[in-house]
Amino acid sequence: MLLNQVSGQSFVVLPGKAPRVFSRECSCWGSRKFMKTTAEVELLYLRKDCLLIECEVSVIKEELDILVPPSDLSDHLATLLEGKIGADVTFKVQGEVFAAHKNLLAMRSAVFNAEFYGPIGDKGVQDIIIDDMQPAVFKAFLHFIYTDSMPFMDDLDDDDKREMVKHLLVAADKYAMERMNRICEGMLCKSLDVETVATILALADQHNCRNLKDACIEFMLSSNRMDDVIASQGYAHLKRSRPVLIVDVFERTVKSRKI
C-alpha cells in the first residue's frame, strides 16, 4: 500500500489480491505490475523523490513435526522382572525360584496387596511358597503382572497353549486379576472344540466366568455335534464333578428347540 503523504491515508495499489506467502520454495518475489505516474500521484505520494510504502508482514512459525516413539514402559518393566534389580520377595514354585517386587505386585493385585500390606498381612515376608501352580504358569503370570500382556506362546501347539491359558485363568481368578481373566476367557472361547468344550465349561463354572460358560453352552447347542461332545472324556468328567451344569445344558437345549 502507498502512503498518502498529504492525508496520511493508505492507498491499495492492487486491490483484491490475496496475501503473498514467501517461503524457501517460492522463486517469485515482488510483482510485475507497476503503477503509472501522474501529476496527482507525484503530488500526493512522491515527496522529495521519496515514496512511502506501508506493508503488513505476518511471520508464521513452522510447526516442527516431532516423531514421538511408542511407549516402552512394558519393556522396561519386563527387564526389571528379568534383571531382579531391587527385588524384595521370592516365590518358590516346585523347586524354581522367582524374584519380584512387592510394591508392583500389590499395585496390580488386591490379593497381593492384602498379603503384603493388609491388616493381617506380613510386611516382612520375603519367601513365599506356591504349591498350586506350575513354574511355567507362574512365570507367565508374573509376565502379565509386570507388562499387562500375555506372554509369547506361539512356540506351543494348540493343546499346550489351551492348557496354559486355562491355568492362567485359574491364577487370574485366585489373585483377582480381572483383565487377565477376561483375556483368558476370550482366548478359550476361540479354541472350543467337541473334545474340550465340556472341560472348559466345568472350569468356567468353577471360576465364575459367565461369558465363557455361556460360550461353551452355545457351542454345544449350535455345533450339531452334541453326540460327539457327550462321547468325550470331558463330558464324562463334567457329569461326575458338576452335574448341575448338565441340567443347565439340557434346559437350554429344550428352550432352543422350542424357539
Side-chain angles (χ1 to χ4, degrees):
M1 293 181 290
L2 294 179
L3 186 64
N4 188 320
Q5 299 187 44
V6 176
S7 65
Q9 296 180 345
S10 300
F11 170 71
V12 179
V13 179
L14 299 175
K17 294 287 289 183
R20 180 175 294 276
V21 178
F22 297 95
S23 65
R24 296 184 181 90
E25 291 77 17
C26 180
S27 59
C28 178
W29 299 83
S31 175
R32 295 185 177 88
K33 294 184 178 181
F34 295 92
M35 181 179 178
K36 293 182 179 181
T37 182
T38 63
E40 181 183 4
V41 169
E42 292 181 2
L43 176 64
L44 299 177
Y45 299 100
L46 193 61
R47 291 292 182 89
K48 298 180 180 180
D49 295 329
C50 291
L51 188 68
L52 297 182
I53 301 176
E54 181 178 329
C55 300
E56 293 182 0
V57 180
S58 298
V59 180
I60 302 176
K61 293 184 178 180
E62 296 183 1
E63 295 184 1
L64 296 178
D65 188 12
I66 300 176
L67 181 62
V68 179
S71 173
D72 57 357
L73 177 61
S74 61
D75 294 334
H76 287 296
L77 290 175
T79 301
L80 179 67
L81 174 63
E82 295 171 2
K84 306 176 184 179
I85 299 175
D88 54 0
V89 64
T90 57
F91 294 89
K92 296 180 179 179
V93 187
Q94 298 183 14
E96 293 192 31
V97 179
F98 299 89
H101 306 78
K102 290 182 183 179
N103 285 342
L104 199 149
L105 297 177
M107 177 183 67
R108 297 282 284 147
S109 165
V111 175
F112 278 129
N113 184 59
E115 184 174 356
F116 296 143
Y117 305 113
I120 59 175
D122 185 358
K123 297 181 180 180
V125 64
Q126 293 182 338
D127 299 299
I128 299 176
I129 297 176
I130 303 293
D131 54 10
D132 59 352
M133 205 178 303
Q134 299 173 2
V137 176
F138 190 77
K139 181 179 180 180
F141 176 62
L142 283 181
H143 176 88
F144 187 91
I145 287 181
Y146 276 72
T147 67
D148 201 40
S149 63
M150 297 295 281
F152 179 80
M153 290 187 284
D154 289 348
D155 56 336
L156 302 177
D157 60 34
D158 291 342
D159 291 339
D160 289 340
K161 183 177 181 179
R162 181 165 44 234
E163 285 302 310
M164 172 64 77
V165 175
K166 287 164 62 177
H167 287 300
L168 288 175
L169 184 143
V170 174
D173 182 43
K174 177 182 177 180
Y175 290 98
M177 299 284 294
E178 181 64 23
R179 173 174 154 78
M180 184 179 184
N181 191 302
R182 294 296 181 87
I183 292 175
C184 291
E185 279 192 84
M187 295 177 70
L188 290 174
C189 284
K190 295 177 181 178
S191 68
L192 297 176
D193 57 41
V194 294
E195 293 295 330
T196 62
V197 64
T199 303
I200 295 177
L201 174 58
L203 180 72
D205 184 65
Q206 181 180 356
H207 295 280
N208 301 309
C209 300
R210 185 67 188 179
N211 294 327
L212 181 57
K213 178 181 176 180
D214 289 342
C216 289
I217 295 177
E218 288 299 321
F219 177 88
M220 295 168 71
L221 298 181
S222 62
S223 64
N224 296 322
R225 299 179 68 180
M226 193 62 183
D227 291 341
D228 294 331
V229 174
I230 293 175
S232 67
Q233 293 182 355
Y235 190 82
H237 173 73
L238 182 66
K239 286 196 301 182
R240 293 192 303 269
S241 61
R242 311 190 83 79
V244 176
L245 281 177
I246 302 299
V247 176
D248 193 1
V249 173
F250 175 76
E251 289 179 349
R252 294 200 190 190
T253 302
V254 173
K255 290 180 180 179
S256 64
R257 288 177 179 176
K258 289 182 179 180
I259 295 174

PDB file of all heavy atoms in Angstrom, residues 53-88:
ATOM      1  N   ILE A  53       5.896   3.379   1.485  1.00  0.00           N
ATOM      2  CA  ILE A  53       5.103   2.165   1.265  1.00  0.00           C
ATOM      3  C   ILE A  53       4.773   1.538   2.616  1.00  0.00           C
ATOM      4  O   ILE A  53       5.654   1.356   3.465  1.00  0.00           O
ATOM      5  CB  ILE A  53       5.870   1.149   0.392  1.00  0.00           C
ATOM      6  CG1 ILE A  53       6.215   1.781  -0.966  1.00  0.00           C
ATOM      7  CG2 ILE A  53       5.055  -0.125   0.208  1.00  0.00           C
ATOM      8  CD1 ILE A  53       7.056   0.889  -1.840  1.00  0.00           C
ATOM      9  N   GLU A  54       3.510   1.226   2.820  1.00  0.00           N
ATOM     10  CA  GLU A  54       3.068   0.579   4.060  1.00  0.00           C
ATOM     11  C   GLU A  54       2.841  -0.912   3.788  1.00  0.00           C
ATOM     12  O   GLU A  54       2.117  -1.284   2.863  1.00  0.00           O
ATOM     13  CB  GLU A  54       1.775   1.221   4.561  1.00  0.00           C
ATOM     14  CG  GLU A  54       1.277   0.616   5.873  1.00  0.00           C
ATOM     15  CD  GLU A  54       0.016   1.307   6.366  1.00  0.00           C
ATOM     16  OE1 GLU A  54      -0.144   2.525   6.111  1.00  0.00           O
ATOM     17  OE2 GLU A  54      -0.816   0.627   6.992  1.00  0.00           O
ATOM     18  N   CYS A  55       3.475  -1.743   4.584  1.00  0.00           N
ATOM     19  CA  CYS A  55       3.368  -3.198   4.402  1.00  0.00           C
ATOM     20  C   CYS A  55       2.908  -3.856   5.702  1.00  0.00           C
ATOM     21  O   CYS A  55       3.266  -3.408   6.794  1.00  0.00           O
ATOM     22  CB  CYS A  55       4.716  -3.798   3.996  1.00  0.00           C
ATOM     23  SG  CYS A  55       5.385  -3.135   2.458  1.00  0.00           S
ATOM     24  N   GLU A  56       2.127  -4.876   5.563  1.00  0.00           N
ATOM     25  CA  GLU A  56       1.746  -5.713   6.699  1.00  0.00           C
ATOM     26  C   GLU A  56       2.418  -7.072   6.529  1.00  0.00           C
ATOM     27  O   GLU A  56       2.165  -7.782   5.553  1.00  0.00           O
ATOM     28  CB  GLU A  56       0.227  -5.887   6.773  1.00  0.00           C
ATOM     29  CG  GLU A  56      -0.513  -4.602   7.102  1.00  0.00           C
ATOM     30  CD  GLU A  56      -2.009  -4.826   7.221  1.00  0.00           C
ATOM     31  OE1 GLU A  56      -2.442  -5.995   7.037  1.00  0.00           O
ATOM     32  OE2 GLU A  56      -2.739  -3.854   7.486  1.00  0.00           O
ATOM     33  N   VAL A  57       3.286  -7.388   7.454  1.00  0.00           N
ATOM     34  CA  VAL A  57       4.050  -8.634   7.371  1.00  0.00           C
ATOM     35  C   VAL A  57       3.671  -9.531   8.547  1.00  0.00           C
ATOM     36  O   VAL A  57       3.729  -9.116   9.703  1.00  0.00           O
ATOM     37  CB  VAL A  57       5.570  -8.368   7.393  1.00  0.00           C
ATOM     38  CG1 VAL A  57       6.336  -9.688   7.316  1.00  0.00           C
ATOM     39  CG2 VAL A  57       5.955  -7.448   6.243  1.00  0.00           C
ATOM     40  N   SER A  58       3.235 -10.737   8.249  1.00  0.00           N
ATOM     41  CA  SER A  58       2.925 -11.728   9.284  1.00  0.00           C
ATOM     42  C   SER A  58       3.950 -12.853   9.196  1.00  0.00           C
ATOM     43  O   SER A  58       4.127 -13.463   8.131  1.00  0.00           O
ATOM     44  CB  SER A  58       1.513 -12.297   9.089  1.00  0.00           C
ATOM     45  OG  SER A  58       0.544 -11.263   9.203  1.00  0.00           O
ATOM     46  N   VAL A  59       4.629 -13.090  10.291  1.00  0.00           N
ATOM     47  CA  VAL A  59       5.632 -14.155  10.341  1.00  0.00           C
ATOM     48  C   VAL A  59       5.001 -15.387  10.990  1.00  0.00           C
ATOM     49  O   VAL A  59       4.570 -15.341  12.141  1.00  0.00           O
ATOM     50  CB  VAL A  59       6.875 -13.710  11.140  1.00  0.00           C
ATOM     51  CG1 VAL A  59       7.901 -14.840  11.180  1.00  0.00           C
ATOM     52  CG2 VAL A  59       7.470 -12.451  10.518  1.00  0.00           C
ATOM     53  N   ILE A  60       4.913 -16.438  10.234  1.00  0.00           N
ATOM     54  CA  ILE A  60       4.301 -17.681  10.722  1.00  0.00           C
ATOM     55  C   ILE A  60       5.401 -18.707  10.965  1.00  0.00           C
ATOM     56  O   ILE A  60       6.144 -19.071  10.054  1.00  0.00           O
ATOM     57  CB  ILE A  60       3.284 -18.231   9.702  1.00  0.00           C
ATOM     58  CG1 ILE A  60       2.199 -17.175   9.431  1.00  0.00           C
ATOM     59  CG2 ILE A  60       2.668 -19.529  10.212  1.00  0.00           C
ATOM     60  CD1 ILE A  60       1.221 -17.589   8.362  1.00  0.00           C
ATOM     61  N   LYS A  61       5.489 -19.141  12.199  1.00  0.00           N
ATOM     62  CA  LYS A  61       6.492 -20.149  12.524  1.00  0.00           C
ATOM     63  C   LYS A  61       6.002 -21.527  12.088  1.00  0.00           C
ATOM     64  O   LYS A  61       4.862 -21.903  12.339  1.00  0.00           O
ATOM     65  CB  LYS A  61       6.769 -20.161  14.032  1.00  0.00           C
ATOM     66  CG  LYS A  61       7.435 -18.894  14.538  1.00  0.00           C
ATOM     67  CD  LYS A  61       7.752 -19.025  16.026  1.00  0.00           C
ATOM     68  CE  LYS A  61       8.462 -17.793  16.549  1.00  0.00           C
ATOM     69  NZ  LYS A  61       8.779 -17.910  17.999  1.00  0.00           N
ATOM     70  N   GLU A  62       6.857 -22.262  11.442  1.00  0.00           N
ATOM     71  CA  GLU A  62       6.507 -23.611  11.020  1.00  0.00           C
ATOM     72  C   GLU A  62       6.531 -24.553  12.224  1.00  0.00           C
ATOM     73  O   GLU A  62       7.463 -24.534  13.025  1.00  0.00           O
ATOM     74  CB  GLU A  62       7.490 -24.113   9.958  1.00  0.00           C
ATOM     75  CG  GLU A  62       7.444 -23.319   8.665  1.00  0.00           C
ATOM     76  CD  GLU A  62       8.384 -23.898   7.631  1.00  0.00           C
ATOM     77  OE1 GLU A  62       9.032 -24.915   7.944  1.00  0.00           O
ATOM     78  OE2 GLU A  62       8.463 -23.342   6.529  1.00  0.00           O
ATOM     79  N   GLU A  63       5.450 -25.348  12.362  1.00  0.00           N
ATOM     80  CA  GLU A  63       5.395 -26.307  13.457  1.00  0.00           C
ATOM     81  C   GLU A  63       6.294 -27.497  13.143  1.00  0.00           C
ATOM     82  O   GLU A  63       6.233 -28.069  12.060  1.00  0.00           O
ATOM     83  CB  GLU A  63       3.958 -26.790  13.672  1.00  0.00           C
ATOM     84  CG  GLU A  63       3.018 -25.689  14.144  1.00  0.00           C
ATOM     85  CD  GLU A  63       1.635 -26.238  14.437  1.00  0.00           C
ATOM     86  OE1 GLU A  63       1.448 -27.460  14.281  1.00  0.00           O
ATOM     87  OE2 GLU A  63       0.761 -25.451  14.823  1.00  0.00           O
ATOM     88  N   LEU A  64       7.110 -27.839  14.106  1.00  0.00           N
ATOM     89  CA  LEU A  64       8.001 -28.977  13.927  1.00  0.00           C
ATOM     90  C   LEU A  64       7.240 -30.273  14.169  1.00  0.00           C
ATOM     91  O   LEU A  64       6.537 -30.416  15.167  1.00  0.00           O
ATOM     92  CB  LEU A  64       9.182 -28.881  14.899  1.00  0.00           C
ATOM     93  CG  LEU A  64      10.117 -27.678  14.699  1.00  0.00           C
ATOM     94  CD1 LEU A  64      11.205 -27.694  15.764  1.00  0.00           C
ATOM     95  CD2 LEU A  64      10.733 -27.696  13.311  1.00  0.00           C
ATOM     96  N   ASP A  65       7.346 -31.180  13.250  1.00  0.00           N
ATOM     97  CA  ASP A  65       6.701 -32.481  13.380  1.00  0.00           C
ATOM     98  C   ASP A  65       7.674 -33.428  14.082  1.00  0.00           C
ATOM     99  O   ASP A  65       8.529 -34.053  13.451  1.00  0.00           O
ATOM    100  CB  ASP A  65       6.315 -33.024  12.004  1.00  0.00           C
ATOM    101  CG  ASP A  65       5.479 -34.288  12.109  1.00  0.00           C
ATOM    102  OD1 ASP A  65       5.027 -34.597  13.224  1.00  0.00           O
ATOM    103  OD2 ASP A  65       5.288 -34.964  11.078  1.00  0.00           O
ATOM    104  N   ILE A  66       7.546 -33.501  15.402  1.00  0.00           N
ATOM    105  CA  ILE A  66       8.462 -34.316  16.195  1.00  0.00           C
ATOM    106  C   ILE A  66       7.900 -35.727  16.317  1.00  0.00           C
ATOM    107  O   ILE A  66       6.771 -35.927  16.765  1.00  0.00           O
ATOM    108  CB  ILE A  66       8.677 -33.707  17.595  1.00  0.00           C
ATOM    109  CG1 ILE A  66       9.277 -32.299  17.465  1.00  0.00           C
ATOM    110  CG2 ILE A  66       9.575 -34.597  18.436  1.00  0.00           C
ATOM    111  CD1 ILE A  66       9.441 -31.590  18.787  1.00  0.00           C
ATOM    112  N   LEU A  67       8.682 -36.681  15.911  1.00  0.00           N
ATOM    113  CA  LEU A  67       8.267 -38.080  15.979  1.00  0.00           C
ATOM    114  C   LEU A  67       8.424 -38.592  17.408  1.00  0.00           C
ATOM    115  O   LEU A  67       9.526 -38.597  17.962  1.00  0.00           O
ATOM    116  CB  LEU A  67       9.103 -38.929  15.019  1.00  0.00           C
ATOM    117  CG  LEU A  67       8.763 -40.424  14.968  1.00  0.00           C
ATOM    118  CD1 LEU A  67       7.328 -40.620  14.481  1.00  0.00           C
ATOM    119  CD2 LEU A  67       9.740 -41.166  14.063  1.00  0.00           C
ATOM    120  N   VAL A  68       7.302 -38.978  18.014  1.00  0.00           N
ATOM    121  CA  VAL A  68       7.319 -39.494  19.384  1.00  0.00           C
ATOM    122  C   VAL A  68       7.312 -41.019  19.336  1.00  0.00           C
ATOM    123  O   VAL A  68       6.405 -41.619  18.752  1.00  0.00           O
ATOM    124  CB  VAL A  68       6.095 -38.994  20.180  1.00  0.00           C
ATOM    125  CG1 VAL A  68       6.116 -39.559  21.599  1.00  0.00           C
ATOM    126  CG2 VAL A  68       6.072 -37.470  20.216  1.00  0.00           C
ATOM    127  N   PRO A  69       8.297 -41.660  19.903  1.00  0.00           N
ATOM    128  CA  PRO A  69       8.338 -43.134  19.863  1.00  0.00           C
ATOM    129  C   PRO A  69       7.222 -43.722  20.716  1.00  0.00           C
ATOM    130  O   PRO A  69       6.722 -43.071  21.639  1.00  0.00           O
ATOM    131  CB  PRO A  69       9.718 -43.461  20.453  1.00  0.00           C
ATOM    132  CG  PRO A  69      10.050 -42.284  21.324  1.00  0.00           C
ATOM    133  CD  PRO A  69       9.447 -41.091  20.632  1.00  0.00           C
ATOM    134  N   PRO A  70       6.792 -44.943  20.410  1.00  0.00           N
ATOM    135  CA  PRO A  70       5.752 -45.589  21.215  1.00  0.00           C
ATOM    136  C   PRO A  70       6.242 -45.859  22.630  1.00  0.00           C
ATOM    137  O   PRO A  70       7.453 -45.925  22.884  1.00  0.00           O
ATOM    138  CB  PRO A  70       5.478 -46.893  20.454  1.00  0.00           C
ATOM    139  CG  PRO A  70       6.739 -47.152  19.686  1.00  0.00           C
ATOM    140  CD  PRO A  70       7.270 -45.804  19.311  1.00  0.00           C
ATOM    141  N   SER A  71       5.296 -46.013  23.535  1.00  0.00           N
ATOM    142  CA  SER A  71       5.655 -46.267  24.925  1.00  0.00           C
ATOM    143  C   SER A  71       6.406 -47.591  25.052  1.00  0.00           C
ATOM    144  O   SER A  71       6.026 -48.598  24.455  1.00  0.00           O
ATOM    145  CB  SER A  71       4.391 -46.306  25.790  1.00  0.00           C
ATOM    146  OG  SER A  71       4.703 -46.707  27.112  1.00  0.00           O
ATOM    147  N   ASP A  72       7.474 -47.571  25.823  1.00  0.00           N
ATOM    148  CA  ASP A  72       8.234 -48.791  26.067  1.00  0.00           C
ATOM    149  C   ASP A  72       8.264 -49.133  27.557  1.00  0.00           C
ATOM    150  O   ASP A  72       9.168 -49.815  28.034  1.00  0.00           O
ATOM    151  CB  ASP A  72       9.663 -48.665  25.522  1.00  0.00           C
ATOM    152  CG  ASP A  72      10.404 -47.461  26.109  1.00  0.00           C
ATOM    153  OD1 ASP A  72       9.791 -46.701  26.894  1.00  0.00           O
ATOM    154  OD2 ASP A  72      11.594 -47.277  25.791  1.00  0.00           O
ATOM    155  N   LEU A  73       7.242 -48.644  28.275  1.00  0.00           N
ATOM    156  CA  LEU A  73       7.177 -48.903  29.712  1.00  0.00           C
ATOM    157  C   LEU A  73       7.120 -50.398  30.004  1.00  0.00           C
ATOM    158  O   LEU A  73       7.798 -50.893  30.912  1.00  0.00           O
ATOM    159  CB  LEU A  73       5.961 -48.199  30.319  1.00  0.00           C
ATOM    160  CG  LEU A  73       5.712 -48.444  31.814  1.00  0.00           C
ATOM    161  CD1 LEU A  73       6.884 -47.962  32.641  1.00  0.00           C
ATOM    162  CD2 LEU A  73       4.424 -47.753  32.258  1.00  0.00           C
ATOM    163  N   SER A  74       6.302 -51.119  29.229  1.00  0.00           N
ATOM    164  CA  SER A  74       6.174 -52.554  29.479  1.00  0.00           C
ATOM    165  C   SER A  74       7.499 -53.276  29.251  1.00  0.00           C
ATOM    166  O   SER A  74       7.818 -54.243  29.949  1.00  0.00           O
ATOM    167  CB  SER A  74       5.084 -53.153  28.585  1.00  0.00           C
ATOM    168  OG  SER A  74       5.402 -52.984  27.216  1.00  0.00           O
ATOM    169  N   ASP A  75       8.284 -52.798  28.272  1.00  0.00           N
ATOM    170  CA  ASP A  75       9.594 -53.413  28.026  1.00  0.00           C
ATOM    171  C   ASP A  75      10.521 -53.196  29.214  1.00  0.00           C
ATOM    172  O   ASP A  75      11.265 -54.101  29.620  1.00  0.00           O
ATOM    173  CB  ASP A  75      10.226 -52.824  26.760  1.00  0.00           C
ATOM    174  CG  ASP A  75       9.442 -53.169  25.505  1.00  0.00           C
ATOM    175  OD1 ASP A  75       8.747 -54.201  25.512  1.00  0.00           O
ATOM    176  OD2 ASP A  75       9.515 -52.409  24.525  1.00  0.00           O
ATOM    177  N   HIS A  76      10.476 -51.990  29.782  1.00  0.00           N
ATOM    178  CA  HIS A  76      11.322 -51.701  30.939  1.00  0.00           C
ATOM    179  C   HIS A  76      10.900 -52.530  32.151  1.00  0.00           C
ATOM    180  O   HIS A  76      11.747 -53.007  32.918  1.00  0.00           O
ATOM    181  CB  HIS A  76      11.264 -50.214  31.275  1.00  0.00           C
ATOM    182  CG  HIS A  76      11.999 -49.347  30.297  1.00  0.00           C
ATOM    183  ND1 HIS A  76      13.361 -49.415  30.109  1.00  0.00           N
ATOM    184  CD2 HIS A  76      11.558 -48.394  29.443  1.00  0.00           C
ATOM    185  CE1 HIS A  76      13.733 -48.546  29.189  1.00  0.00           C
ATOM    186  NE2 HIS A  76      12.656 -47.917  28.767  1.00  0.00           N
ATOM    187  N   LEU A  77       9.591 -52.698  32.319  1.00  0.00           N
ATOM    188  CA  LEU A  77       9.114 -53.499  33.450  1.00  0.00           C
ATOM    189  C   LEU A  77       9.470 -54.972  33.263  1.00  0.00           C
ATOM    190  O   LEU A  77       9.773 -55.674  34.236  1.00  0.00           O
ATOM    191  CB  LEU A  77       7.606 -53.326  33.609  1.00  0.00           C
ATOM    192  CG  LEU A  77       7.158 -51.946  34.105  1.00  0.00           C
ATOM    193  CD1 LEU A  77       5.640 -51.839  34.105  1.00  0.00           C
ATOM    194  CD2 LEU A  77       7.701 -51.678  35.503  1.00  0.00           C
ATOM    195  N   ALA A  78       9.435 -55.436  32.021  1.00  0.00           N
ATOM    196  CA  ALA A  78       9.856 -56.813  31.753  1.00  0.00           C
ATOM    197  C   ALA A  78      11.340 -56.989  32.075  1.00  0.00           C
ATOM    198  O   ALA A  78      11.755 -58.015  32.635  1.00  0.00           O
ATOM    199  CB  ALA A  78       9.583 -57.169  30.292  1.00  0.00           C
ATOM    200  N   THR A  79      12.133 -55.974  31.743  1.00  0.00           N
ATOM    201  CA  THR A  79      13.561 -56.014  32.065  1.00  0.00           C
ATOM    202  C   THR A  79      13.772 -55.996  33.574  1.00  0.00           C
ATOM    203  O   THR A  79      14.663 -56.674  34.104  1.00  0.00           O
ATOM    204  CB  THR A  79      14.280 -54.816  31.423  1.00  0.00           C
ATOM    205  OG1 THR A  79      14.089 -54.859  30.005  1.00  0.00           O
ATOM    206  CG2 THR A  79      15.764 -54.844  31.732  1.00  0.00           C
ATOM    207  N   LEU A  80      12.939 -55.221  34.268  1.00  0.00           N
ATOM    208  CA  LEU A  80      13.022 -55.178  35.729  1.00  0.00           C
ATOM    209  C   LEU A  80      12.745 -56.553  36.327  1.00  0.00           C
ATOM    210  O   LEU A  80      13.430 -56.990  37.260  1.00  0.00           O
ATOM    211  CB  LEU A  80      12.015 -54.161  36.266  1.00  0.00           C
ATOM    212  CG  LEU A  80      11.949 -53.993  37.788  1.00  0.00           C
ATOM    213  CD1 LEU A  80      13.238 -53.373  38.314  1.00  0.00           C
ATOM    214  CD2 LEU A  80      10.747 -53.133  38.181  1.00  0.00           C
ATOM    215  N   LEU A  81      11.754 -57.243  35.779  1.00  0.00           N
ATOM    216  CA  LEU A  81      11.422 -58.581  36.263  1.00  0.00           C
ATOM    217  C   LEU A  81      12.558 -59.558  35.993  1.00  0.00           C
ATOM    218  O   LEU A  81      12.944 -60.338  36.874  1.00  0.00           O
ATOM    219  CB  LEU A  81      10.134 -59.068  35.593  1.00  0.00           C
ATOM    220  CG  LEU A  81       9.714 -60.514  35.875  1.00  0.00           C
ATOM    221  CD1 LEU A  81       9.423 -60.706  37.358  1.00  0.00           C
ATOM    222  CD2 LEU A  81       8.491 -60.890  35.034  1.00  0.00           C
ATOM    223  N   GLU A  82      13.104 -59.504  34.793  1.00  0.00           N
ATOM    224  CA  GLU A  82      14.163 -60.439  34.424  1.00  0.00           C
ATOM    225  C   GLU A  82      15.474 -60.128  35.149  1.00  0.00           C
ATOM    226  O   GLU A  82      16.209 -61.036  35.537  1.00  0.00           O
ATOM    227  CB  GLU A  82      14.376 -60.396  32.910  1.00  0.00           C
ATOM    228  CG  GLU A  82      13.175 -60.892  32.112  1.00  0.00           C
ATOM    229  CD  GLU A  82      13.331 -60.645  30.627  1.00  0.00           C
ATOM    230  OE1 GLU A  82      14.397 -60.126  30.231  1.00  0.00           O
ATOM    231  OE2 GLU A  82      12.398 -60.961  29.868  1.00  0.00           O
ATOM    232  N   GLY A  83      15.756 -58.826  35.348  1.00  0.00           N
ATOM    233  CA  GLY A  83      17.015 -58.445  35.980  1.00  0.00           C
ATOM    234  C   GLY A  83      17.019 -58.570  37.488  1.00  0.00           C
ATOM    235  O   GLY A  83      18.083 -58.578  38.114  1.00  0.00           O
ATOM    236  N   LYS A  84      15.824 -58.613  38.090  1.00  0.00           N
ATOM    237  CA  LYS A  84      15.677 -58.801  39.540  1.00  0.00           C
ATOM    238  C   LYS A  84      16.271 -57.654  40.357  1.00  0.00           C
ATOM    239  O   LYS A  84      16.516 -57.802  41.559  1.00  0.00           O
ATOM    240  CB  LYS A  84      16.321 -60.118  39.981  1.00  0.00           C
ATOM    241  CG  LYS A  84      15.824 -61.336  39.226  1.00  0.00           C
ATOM    242  CD  LYS A  84      16.571 -62.594  39.627  1.00  0.00           C
ATOM    243  CE  LYS A  84      16.124 -63.787  38.797  1.00  0.00           C
ATOM    244  NZ  LYS A  84      16.864 -65.022  39.154  1.00  0.00           N
ATOM    245  N   ILE A  85      16.504 -56.504  39.725  1.00  0.00           N
ATOM    246  CA  ILE A  85      17.078 -55.366  40.443  1.00  0.00           C
ATOM    247  C   ILE A  85      16.052 -54.823  41.436  1.00  0.00           C
ATOM    248  O   ILE A  85      14.932 -54.495  41.070  1.00  0.00           O
ATOM    249  CB  ILE A  85      17.500 -54.258  39.458  1.00  0.00           C
ATOM    250  CG1 ILE A  85      18.564 -54.779  38.494  1.00  0.00           C
ATOM    251  CG2 ILE A  85      18.016 -53.038  40.201  1.00  0.00           C
ATOM    252  CD1 ILE A  85      18.950 -53.787  37.415  1.00  0.00           C
ATOM    253  N   GLY A  86      16.438 -54.719  42.695  1.00  0.00           N
ATOM    254  CA  GLY A  86      15.549 -54.183  43.719  1.00  0.00           C
ATOM    255  C   GLY A  86      14.474 -55.145  44.182  1.00  0.00           C
ATOM    256  O   GLY A  86      13.579 -54.746  44.940  1.00  0.00           O
ATOM    257  N   ALA A  87      14.536 -56.394  43.754  1.00  0.00           N
ATOM    258  CA  ALA A  87      13.523 -57.372  44.166  1.00  0.00           C
ATOM    259  C   ALA A  87      13.576 -57.574  45.682  1.00  0.00           C
ATOM    260  O   ALA A  87      14.651 -57.633  46.275  1.00  0.00           O
ATOM    261  CB  ALA A  87      13.750 -58.695  43.445  1.00  0.00           C
ATOM    262  N   ASP A  88      12.393 -57.676  46.297  1.00  0.00           N
ATOM    263  CA  ASP A  88      12.343 -57.814  47.752  1.00  0.00           C
ATOM    264  C   ASP A  88      11.476 -58.982  48.212  1.00  0.00           C
ATOM    265  O   ASP A  88      11.140 -59.084  49.390  1.00  0.00           O
ATOM    266  CB  ASP A  88      11.852 -56.513  48.393  1.00  0.00           C
ATOM    267  CG  ASP A  88      10.524 -56.046  47.824  1.00  0.00           C
ATOM    268  OD1 ASP A  88       9.978 -56.723  46.924  1.00  0.00           O
ATOM    269  OD2 ASP A  88      10.025 -54.992  48.258  1.00  0.00           O
TER     270      ASP A  88
END
